[in-house]
Amino acid sequence: MSDDLLTVATIVAMAAATYLTRIGGLYLMRGVSVKGRLKAALDALPPAVLMAVIAPTVLATGPAETIAALITVGAAFLRLPMIAVVAIGVAAVVALRALF
Amino acid sequence: MSSPSRSADFRRGVFDILPVLAAAVPIGLLWGTLAAGKGFTPFEAWLTSATVFAGAAQFVAVDMWRDPVPLLLIVVTTFIVNVRHLLMGASLQRHLGAFSGPGGLLAMFLMTDESWAFAERKVLAEPLRPAYYFGVALPMWLVWSSASLAGAIAGRSLGDPAVYGFDFAFSAMFIAILAGFWRGPRTGAVLAMSALAAALAKLVIPGAWYIVIGGSAGVLVAALLHGEDDGQDPGEKPAAYADAA
C-alpha cells in the first residue's frame, strides 16, 4: 500500500537527516574556531530548541499543563533522576486535569 | 591492546549507562505506544527507533504524524530538533583518535545525548577508547529499539495515553533535560524569548515551524547578550548534561 510506503519513506528520510546531523559535526567545525558570539549562539541552540518544542504545551494548552510544568521544573532543579522528574510531572498533570 | 582490557572497558561502559537504560525503558515503551496510536506497525516503530535513534525528534515526529504523512515537514523538523548533534559531534570528533574510520562512523550513528555526555566525561580523565564508548552506546540502542517495539505491540490495547497523563511525559522529560542547561539569568532570557516566540508562532502559523522560530529567537538573544560582556563564556560543555539522564 502507498500509505505504508510513505510511512517507511518518511522513517528512512528521518534516519538520513538525523545521521547527517550526527556525522556533520565531524566535518563541519573542523578548522573553524568556534568562539565569542558564535559560540554563545551555538551553546544556546539546544536549550532554545528544546524550549520551543514544549512551549505550546506548557504555555498555551491550559492551567493544568502550565502548573504541572512548573511543578516539573521544581523537581528538575532538585536534581532528581530524570525518570522521577517525569513521573512527578505526569502525576501532577493527571491530578490537575481532574481539578480543572 | 589486549582483549581482556577491551572487555573490561566495555563492561565499564555498560555499568555507567545502566541507570540511563532503566529510564529509557518506560520512555521507549511510551514512544512505541504513541507511535502505534498514530498507526505505526510494530516493525515501523522498531525501524524508527533503530535507525533514527533520537528520542526527542521521534516524539516530535509522532506528534506531527497525520494522514497523509507530511514527509518534508517531519524530515525538516527532525533535522532541526537534531541540529544539536552537530555541536556534540564537533566536540566529540577531537576524541575519536583511537577509532578506525568505520568505527568512528558507527560511533557517531550511536551518539545520543547520554552516550555523548559519558564520552565527554571520560575524556576529562583519560583518552576515549572504543570499547568503553560502545559499552555505553550499544546497550542504549538495544534497549531503546526493543522498548519501542514492545510499546508498539502493547500500545494497541492500551488506548489513549492522555488518560494516564502519558502525553505530558515528554514535556516533563524535556524540562528535566533543560534543567541541565541552566547557566543563570542569561539562560533564562534565552528560554523566555524562545518560549514566547514559539508559543506565538504556534498560534498563527500551521505546522511545526514554531520550533525553528522559537529556537532561532532564543539563539538570537544569546548572540545579542554575548556582546554585553565578552569575557564570560558559558561553560565549554553543559556539565550537568549527565544529570539529565
Side-chain angles (χ1 to χ4, degrees):
Chain A
M1 270 171 65
S2 74
D3 240 25
D4 298 341
L5 252 174
L6 182 58
T7 295
V8 172
T10 307
I11 292 168
V12 169
M14 282 172 69
T18 303
Y19 192 52
L20 207 64
T21 64
R22 286 191 165 114
I23 55 164
L26 296 186
Y27 309 102
L28 199 77
M29 309 286 181
R30 197 169 276 177
V32 180
S33 81
V34 177
K35 55 186 177 190
R37 199 179 289 271
L38 176 62
K39 184 177 186 306
L42 292 179
D43 281 341
L45 203 138
V49 168
L50 286 172
M51 185 73 236
V53 168
I54 61 171
T57 303
V58 166
L59 295 179
T61 310
E65 284 75 12
T66 303
I67 297 169
L70 288 174
I71 292 170
T72 311
V73 169
F77 274 99
L78 289 176
R79 293 258 173 254
L80 299 176
M82 186 202 226
I83 198 67
V85 174
V86 172
I88 288 168
V90 167
V93 89
V94 170
L96 288 161
R97 277 173 184 166
L99 281 177
F100 288 102
Chain B
M1 179 184 309
S2 67
S3 70
S5 106
R6 266 211 295 272
S7 72
D9 270 345
F10 189 85
R11 278 198 304 276
R12 224 165 285 140
V14 174
F15 183 78
D16 279 352
I17 199 70
L18 274 179
V20 178
L21 297 183
V25 169
I27 294 169
L29 283 169
L30 169 65
W31 185 82
T33 309
L34 295 176
K38 289 296 180 94
F40 280 58
T41 64
F43 168 75
E44 287 161 353
W46 175 85
L47 183 69
T48 308
S49 284
T51 62
V52 179
F53 190 44
Q58 287 179 231
F59 275 104
V60 173
V62 152
D63 189 51
M64 294 167 62
W65 211 272
R66 53 187 47 80
D67 197 20
V69 183
L71 187 151
L72 186 64
L73 189 58
I74 286 178
V75 171
V76 169
T77 306
T78 299
F79 184 85
I80 292 160
V81 174
N82 287 328
V83 154
R84 69 186 191 284
H85 289 150
L86 287 172
L87 314 179
M88 291 154 58
S91 174
L92 194 61
Q93 61 99 4
R94 295 171 293 163
H95 311 297
L96 296 181
F99 289 64
S100 65
L105 293 178
L106 179 63
M108 297 314 289
F109 176 77
L110 294 172
M111 183 181 72
T112 58
D113 294 352
E114 291 79 12
S115 58
W116 174 77
F118 280 114
E120 291 284 355
R121 199 180 62 165
K122 193 66 163 176
V123 297
L124 296 176
E126 53 181 320
L128 181 64
R129 288 191 290 273
Y132 173 81
Y133 180 84
F134 289 117
V136 168
L138 275 175
M140 191 67 187
W141 180 85
L142 194 66
V143 164
W144 179 251
S145 53
S146 307
S148 300
L149 175 65
I153 293 170
R156 313 194 128 177
S157 52
L158 278 180
D160 183 6
V163 174
Y164 312 101
F166 282 176
D167 59 316
F168 191 74
F170 99 94
S171 295
M173 183 177 69
F174 284 168
I175 290 171
I177 292 175
L178 269 174
F181 283 100
W182 188 263
R183 295 288 174 277
R186 215 182 283 193
T187 315
V190 168
L191 294 183
M193 180 52 85
S194 169
L196 194 68
L200 288 177
K202 171 79 174 181
L203 293 176
V204 292
I205 303 166
W209 299 109
Y210 66 92
I211 296 174
V212 199
I213 293 165
S216 306
V219 164
L220 195 67
V221 165
L224 290 175
L225 287 181
H226 180 75
E228 290 169 11
D229 82 47
D230 287 321
Q232 280 224 324
D233 264 350
E236 167 78 9
K237 39 196 160 259
Y241 227 132
D243 294 341

